[in-house]
Amino acid sequence: MKAAIYCRLSEEDRNKRSENDDSNSIQNQKTMLLQYAMQQEWEIYRIYSDDDYTGADRKRPEFNRLLADAKERLFDIILCKTQSRFTRELELVEKYIHGLFPLWGIRFVSVVDHADTDNRGNKKSRQINGLVNEWYLEDMSENIKSVLTSRRKNGFPPFTATGRTRSGKAICSLTKKPHRLSVKSSPCFPVDTGKLPSPAF
C-alpha cells in the first residue's frame, strides 16, 4: 500500500503550545506520520507540505498537487495528522473525503482524531469534525472583523506591512503598536489624505 503524507501549518497555529494540538511544526507532523506509516508497513509515495496556509485556502499548491495525484490514483492512502490539516471546510470534507476519494479508491486516514474512511462507523465523527472546524473559521473571521472595526472607529489603520512574501510583495497583518495613518505608513491600501477608506469585509 502506498501512502501520501499531507502536512499543513498556518500562521495562527504558531502560537499554540499544547502537545496534542494541530499546531505542531511541519517537521513534527512529518515525523509522527512517517512513524505511523512504518508501523502500518505502508510505503511512502510522497510527502506534500504547505506552510503558512490556512485550512480554508483552496489554492494551497501542495494540497492541489495532492488532489491531482489522487485523481490519477498514484497512491492508495492519504495520511494526515488531523482532518483539519487537510481542510477546515465541511464542503470539502463531503466532496473529497466522503465523495471523490472513495470513487478514486483512496483511503483517508488522520491519526490524532482517528478519521478513517475504511471505517464506515466513524463517518458521523468525521462530519462533526468538519462542522467544528468550520465553526473555528467563522469565529476567526468574526474576531478579525471586530478588531478591524474597532481600529477604524479609533482612527488607526487596520493593517500595516510587516514583511514580504517569497515573491517580494508586502504582507499585511494586524499591527500591535497603534499609530496614526500617514501617507507613508501603510502600503497595503491606497490612502486618501482626506478620508480613511473602509476595509471590505
Side-chain angles (χ1 to χ4, degrees):
M1 301 287 282
K2 291 183 180 179
I5 287 175
Y6 180 72
C7 305
R8 179 182 64 79
L9 184 73
S10 59
E11 188 61 35
E12 69 267 21
D13 292 326
R14 296 183 185 278
N15 294 325
K16 299 179 182 177
R17 291 293 182 267
S18 171
E19 182 179 352
N20 294 320
D21 208 310
D22 306 354
S23 59
N24 288 341
S25 72
I26 289 285
Q27 188 56 51
N28 287 346
Q29 289 182 49
K30 290 178 182 178
T31 300
M32 169 189 282
L33 298 174
L34 285 169
Q35 184 176 20
Y36 184 87
M38 288 177 60
Q39 291 171 350
Q40 306 301 316
E41 298 184 345
W42 294 339
E43 177 186 348
I44 302 301
Y45 172 75
R46 180 175 174 175
I47 298 176
Y48 302 78
S49 179
D50 283 313
D51 204 355
D52 287 337
Y53 289 91
T54 70
D57 189 342
R58 300 189 181 192
K59 295 182 179 179
R60 289 171 272 159
E62 288 293 282
F63 174 77
N64 283 293
R65 189 169 292 115
L66 172 76
L67 296 179
D69 289 349
K71 187 175 182 179
E72 295 297 320
R73 297 171 172 81
L74 299 181
F75 45 77
D76 308 293
I77 300 163
I78 292 175
L79 180 62
C80 300
K81 181 184 176 185
T82 64
Q83 184 174 298
S84 67
R85 294 301 90 188
F86 177 74
T87 183
R88 287 191 182 274
E89 292 188 82
L90 183 58
E91 180 185 346
L92 294 190
V93 170
E94 292 300 321
K95 179 178 180 179
Y96 290 106
I97 296 178
H98 296 151
L100 292 174
F101 288 170
L103 290 177
W104 296 341
I106 303 293
R107 176 183 175 187
F108 179 86
V109 176
S110 63
V111 177
V112 174
D113 47 11
H114 309 293
D116 186 346
T117 51
D118 260 11
N119 181 356
R120 295 184 180 180
N122 74 8
K123 180 177 180 179
K124 288 183 178 178
S125 176
R126 297 192 298 271
Q127 290 172 323
I128 291 170
N129 284 340
L131 187 58
V132 170
N133 289 326
E134 194 152 288
W135 286 341
Y136 169 85
L137 289 177
E138 291 175 0
D139 286 345
M140 286 285 293
S141 177
E142 289 303 316
N143 288 340
I144 291 171
K145 284 181 182 179
S146 66
V147 170
L148 296 182
T149 299
S150 175
R151 293 188 62 78
R152 188 177 69 250
K153 286 181 178 178
N154 287 287
F156 297 124
F159 292 100
T160 57
T162 59
R164 294 189 175 274
T165 63
R166 293 183 183 89
S167 62
K169 295 181 180 179
I171 298 171
C172 297
S173 65
L174 290 177
T175 181
K176 295 181 180 179
K177 296 182 179 180
H179 56 275
R180 293 289 173 179
L181 182 68
S182 69
V183 176
K184 296 180 180 179
S185 67
S186 179
C188 300
F189 51 80
V191 175
D192 180 345
T193 55
K195 183 179 179 182
L196 176 67
S198 298
F201 293 135

